[in-house]
Amino acid sequence: MNDPILKLSQRLGYVFQDESLVSLALTHRSKGERNNERLEFLGDSILSLVVSQYLFERFPQAKEGKLTRLRARLVKGKTLAEIAREFELGDFLILGSSVLKSGEHRRESILADTVEALIGAIYLEAGLDEAQRVVLGWYTSRLESLTLADPIKDPKTRLQEHQQKERSRLPNYEVVNITGATNEQIFTVRCVIPELNQAFVAEGNSRRHAEQAAAAQVLDALGLDSSTEDEL
């Protein structure tokens, strides 16, 4: 096994036996058809299962809704990107020249996807028990700080709840523009509520992100707290 992958394995707390598998997990789609997207799909499911089981056992009295919100906080893209940076994962990515030159390999979404792909690779090579051990090790400090206090809700949810509380019509979101290549699209979304005679426009690398950003603008205009722990 080459030195960079051995170095990464030591940081991850798991030494890969199959160098081709970990290389695949580190390969972004910009490099070609053989990339980490399938492993990312698998790792996403494994991560959700591991975190769900942990929360289920840790908080036996918690209701489903609260467990769901806690899980969302732990598996969201922002958290995964933080974990990736702790491992300095960006130094190990295998990227196409266009992404490498642009510096976009530092983007949170790419880092988060790679963490999920690595989880998928560990699962395939060593099974669920070992994947669970490794993942929980990555999350140790975050799990220790968990409480049943409600996580901060995202802006879109808070705006909807505000409108319902005020017995007003729900926000209307409309995609007004999509630019960029298929795998790097930028969405422009407009949000309107009846109380404000203004359309709020925001961009994001997905429709959901753009809607969250627009909702945050509306919350600010209403004088409400727009602080967020947005997912990727």
Side-chain angles (χ1 to χ4, degrees):
M1 184 173 293
N2 65 50
D3 289 342
I5 290 181
L6 179 58
K7 184 177 181 180
L8 175 61
S9 295
Q10 291 170 340
R11 293 182 185 180
L12 298 177
Y14 175 80
V15 179
F16 282 93
Q17 303 303 309
D18 185 347
E19 184 174 333
S20 65
L21 184 60
V22 64
S23 294
L24 182 60
L26 295 169
T27 302
H28 184 252
R29 63 174 176 265
S30 62
K31 191 65 177 177
E33 291 187 5
R34 190 175 184 277
N35 57 60
N36 64 8
E37 287 186 326
R38 283 171 54 84
L39 285 174
E40 174 199 337
F41 165 79
L42 181 61
D44 175 69
S45 298
I46 300 302
L47 175 62
S48 181
L49 173 61
V50 168
V51 171
S52 295
Q53 180 177 342
Y54 175 88
L55 294 173
F56 182 84
E57 295 174 352
R58 167 84 177 271
F59 301 112
Q61 305 303 320
K63 294 183 178 180
E64 183 268 346
K66 186 156 291 187
L67 293 175
T68 298
R69 291 195 294 275
L70 285 172
R71 181 180 62 191
R73 173 190 284 186
L74 292 168
V75 306
K76 67 182 180 179
K78 182 176 181 179
T79 302
L80 291 172
E82 289 172 354
I83 291 172
R85 291 192 179 99
E86 290 168 6
F87 298 137
E88 298 181 348
L89 192 57
D91 295 339
F92 300 91
L93 301 183
I94 302 171
L95 305 155
S97 57
S98 60
V99 173
L100 189 60
K101 290 177 181 177
S102 69
E104 291 185 354
H105 59 290
R106 304 297 180 180
R107 281 179 50 184
E108 287 191 345
S109 59
I110 292 178
L111 293 172
D113 291 346
T114 306
V115 171
E116 291 179 334
L118 287 167
I119 293 171
I122 294 170
Y123 168 76
L124 287 180
E125 184 172 272
L128 181 58
D129 287 347
E130 183 65 2
Q132 181 181 44
R133 180 194 69 79
V134 173
V135 169
L136 293 180
W138 296 351
Y139 274 89
T140 296
S141 62
R142 293 170 175 85
L143 296 176
E144 289 176 349
S145 65
L146 280 182
T147 71
L148 287 179
D150 279 329
I152 299 174
K153 295 178 182 177
D154 63 80
K156 190 175 176 182
T157 299
R158 297 207 304 279
L159 179 57
Q160 177 172 313
E161 291 180 350
H162 170 76
Q163 294 300 96
Q164 291 171 332
K165 180 180 178 181
E166 297 297 319
R167 300 182 182 276
S168 183
R169 282 188 295 168
L170 296 181
N172 179 57
Y173 298 93
E174 178 186 3
V175 176
V176 296
N177 194 28
I178 303 175
T179 59
T182 302
N183 61 346
E184 297 293 339
Q185 290 181 328
I186 298 297
F187 291 76
T188 303
V189 167
R190 179 173 59 196
C191 178
V192 177
I193 63 171
E195 292 89 336
L196 299 174
N197 187 27
Q198 178 184 354
F200 296 83
V201 179
E203 294 182 347
N205 59 6
S206 70
R207 176 172 181 167
R208 178 167 58 87
H209 292 160
E211 289 177 346
Q212 297 285 14
Q217 291 183 22
V218 178
L219 288 171
D220 283 335
L222 291 170
L224 302 173
D225 181 16
S226 65
S227 61
T228 179
E229 296 182 3
D230 279 348
E231 298 176 30
L232 286 172

